[in-house]
Amino acid sequence: MADTNIVILGGNYAGVNTAHYLLKFVLPTLPGNRYKVLLVNPSKDFYHNISAPRSLVSTDLLPESKTFFDIAGGFKQYGDKNFVFVHGKANSVDPSNRSVAVQLNSGEKQVIPFHALIIATGARSQDPVLSFQGDDGQQTRTALVEIRQKLAKAKSVVVGGGGPAGVEAAGEIAEHFNGKPGWFSKPRRNVQVQLFTGADKLLPILRPAIAKRAEDMLREMGVETTCNTKITGTEQLPSGKTKVNLSTGKSIETDVYINAIGTKPSTEFLPREWLNDREQVNNNSNTLRVDVAGPRVYAVGDVGAHSRGGMMELFEAVPVLATNLKTDILSAAGTKPTSSDRTFKANTSESQGVTIGQSRAIGAFNGMKVPGIMIWAIKGRDYMYSAAKAQVEGAHWKKEVAYKALPIKVQG
């Protein structure tokens, strides 16, 4: 029934974490035991795309069992009464009828009414090896197979983008094919690896000294980095090589090109008035509600305008959304709220961890430089496979995240 459906659009990090949190801590507290979470996603699998820089190199480094996870399997613990996995793609949202039109992977079309709607469709990379592309995932699976085959024979690789994905991909490729640098020796140059970024340094979130250390580590591995040079376009050549055009007016040919230049929010199916000029969902940065969309509509994860994204901020945002959704549902059922909204605060401090090859890393957290060995232990060891598995299965959320509820001030 429409008045019981909590519909979540998107089945990657934001979607699965939100669904588990609601099922564990919100639904059991709602009246009537009649509410249901419907998770809509075009792929039956969750893609742990944080691991893409290593998994795109070789399955010997990171097998597919640590890259793809069955979404529905992670929710079996809740049974069919409170959870439904809808294997399909959201094509449009009708605000007036409060419904979502879904193209099911079976070929059928379905209109799903919602009492509450959570937009968690994320943002996709330009290169399919780095993220799902809003399809059933086959495009990414095929791209991963093809790039591994190309890399096995490549003599040259160009990586576009100086953010974490680009830096990590360049490091993984260089170390796997050229070897680790020694104390008194440089790795052999079986493959020429070049990285271009339009920024004036790598890893713009991090301070110049840490970014410079990342550049030095890459250089030690044989990676050539070039800043202040944008990639303006590419062309696939009959030879199988890729022609890469640079903002300097020059072009180079390469056996493999990896496009890690930014991401695009997956919002093309949403009403335009719900979006900002960057095509993100224009949600309230404090409550995560999409105020323009009407009651009980929210956005969480990289699709929203509330933060710059990332896993740590997602873990902060999910409990905020869940608390406010519970308040809104209870209010719609006639129970007046006694405490004010739970609020989210974006973390704008220097916080980022980046793996450089298989054994080194750099980063900072909350403005403090973190030893590389700690970043490696958390991320570089297996690109957070265990953490991703825990998220898909709901094990990450062992207990409800507490907060201090502030009573509503009475005007008078």
Side-chain angles (χ1 to χ4, degrees):
M1 295 176 60
D3 65 347
T4 65
N5 287 343
I6 302 172
V7 177
I8 301 175
L9 304 180
N12 233 54
Y13 301 101
V16 299
N17 276 286
T18 302
H20 279 297
Y21 198 94
L22 295 179
L23 288 161
K24 284 175 179 282
F25 309 120
V26 175
L27 260 65
T29 69
L30 298 178
N33 192 27
R34 60 193 178 93
Y35 292 90
K36 178 176 289 191
V37 172
L38 292 84
L39 181 64
V40 181
N41 197 60
S43 169
K44 65 180 179 61
D45 294 324
F46 169 102
Y47 178 34
H48 179 38
N49 66 305
I50 289 176
S51 70
R54 183 167 293 169
S55 61
L56 68 82
V57 176
S58 171
T59 54
D60 293 336
L61 295 178
L62 204 66
E64 289 201 349
S65 62
K66 293 187 175 183
T67 306
F68 297 99
F69 304 90
D70 175 52
I71 294 173
F75 288 86
K76 286 183 178 179
Q77 58 193 291
Y78 306 108
D80 298 333
K81 182 177 177 62
N82 295 122
F83 177 80
V84 175
F85 176 66
V86 181
H87 190 194
K89 181 177 182 179
N91 283 337
S92 63
V93 175
D94 186 338
S96 58
N97 291 323
R98 294 180 65 82
S99 63
V100 181
V102 178
Q103 178 70 51
L104 300 176
N105 284 49
S106 63
E108 300 176 5
K109 294 182 179 179
Q110 182 177 358
V111 176
I112 302 175
F114 61 83
H115 185 59
L117 178 67
I118 300 166
I119 304 162
T121 46
R124 59 183 180 271
S125 300
Q126 298 186 61
D127 197 317
V129 300
L130 297 177
S131 72
F132 276 162
Q133 300 296 297
D135 60 356
D136 63 359
Q138 190 54 50
Q139 187 177 353
T140 291
R141 288 181 177 274
T142 299
L144 284 168
V145 171
E146 290 178 349
I147 198 168
R148 290 169 190 146
Q149 293 173 343
K150 288 182 178 180
L151 284 171
K153 301 181 291 184
K155 295 298 181 184
S156 60
V157 176
V158 169
V159 178
V167 169
E168 290 177 343
E172 294 289 339
I173 292 167
E175 181 168 321
H176 184 69
F177 292 102
N178 294 339
K180 297 181 181 180
W183 287 102
F184 303 104
S185 64
K186 294 182 178 180
R188 57 190 183 279
R189 293 288 294 275
N190 296 323
V191 180
Q192 180 188 35
V193 182
Q194 300 178 81
L195 184 152
F196 293 90
T197 175
D200 59 4
K201 67 181 181 69
L202 302 182
L203 306 170
I205 287 179
L206 297 176
R207 71 191 72 171
I210 299 178
K212 181 61 166 58
R213 180 59 184 142
E215 185 177 356
D216 291 342
M217 286 181 174
L218 288 176
R219 186 175 62 252
E220 291 167 7
M221 301 166 74
V223 178
E224 303 169 27
T225 60
T226 304
C227 298
N228 297 307
T229 302
K230 294 182 179 180
I231 292 177
T232 58
T234 61
E235 178 185 349
Q236 201 64 35
L237 302 176
S239 63
K241 290 178 178 287
T242 300
K243 181 181 178 182
V244 180
N245 300 318
L246 306 175
S247 58
T248 59
K250 296 182 179 180
S251 63
I252 55 178
E253 294 183 9
T254 183
D255 295 322
V256 176
Y257 173 62
I258 298 173
N259 187 344
I261 306 173
T263 59
K264 176 181 174 60
S266 298
T267 56
E268 58 277 351
F269 65 96
L270 293 172
R272 185 64 188 86
E273 59 269 23
W274 291 12
L275 311 180
N276 64 14
D277 56 2
R278 299 178 62 187
E279 299 183 46
Q280 298 169 309
V281 179
N282 196 17
N283 57 344
N284 186 302
S285 60
N286 293 320
T287 68
L288 306 185
R289 296 184 184 101
V290 185
D291 296 325
V292 72
R296 300 179 303 281
V297 179
Y298 319 81
V300 67
D302 292 348
V303 76
H306 59 286
S307 76
R308 66 189 182 195
M311 194 62 63
M312 297 308 297
E313 290 212 329
L314 175 63
F315 293 155
E316 296 289 331
V318 167
V320 172
L321 184 154
T323 300
N324 292 336
L325 179 144
K326 176 182 174 179
T327 298
D328 295 344
I329 289 179
L330 291 175
S331 180
T335 302
K336 292 184 178 180
T338 58
S339 59
S340 58
D341 290 328
R342 188 170 184 173
T343 57
F344 170 82
K345 184 177 181 180
N347 184 355
T348 58
S349 67
E350 180 191 30
S351 295
Q352 192 171 74
V354 181
T355 294
I356 312 291
Q358 298 171 40
S359 56
R360 297 192 291 180
I362 52 93
F365 181 68
N366 283 341
M368 300 287 290
K369 182 180 178 181
V370 178
I373 187 65
M374 290 181 62
I375 302 292
W376 175 86
I378 295 170
K379 184 178 184 181
R381 189 194 307 270
D382 61 3
Y383 270 92
M384 301 172 68
Y385 152 71
S386 299
K389 185 173 183 291
Q391 291 174 58
V392 176
E393 296 176 350
H396 174 82
W397 303 104
K398 299 187 185 320
K399 61 181 181 179
E400 189 172 7
V401 179
Y403 80 108
K404 184 177 181 180
L406 300 176
I408 294 176
K409 294 182 179 179
V410 179
Q411 300 294 327

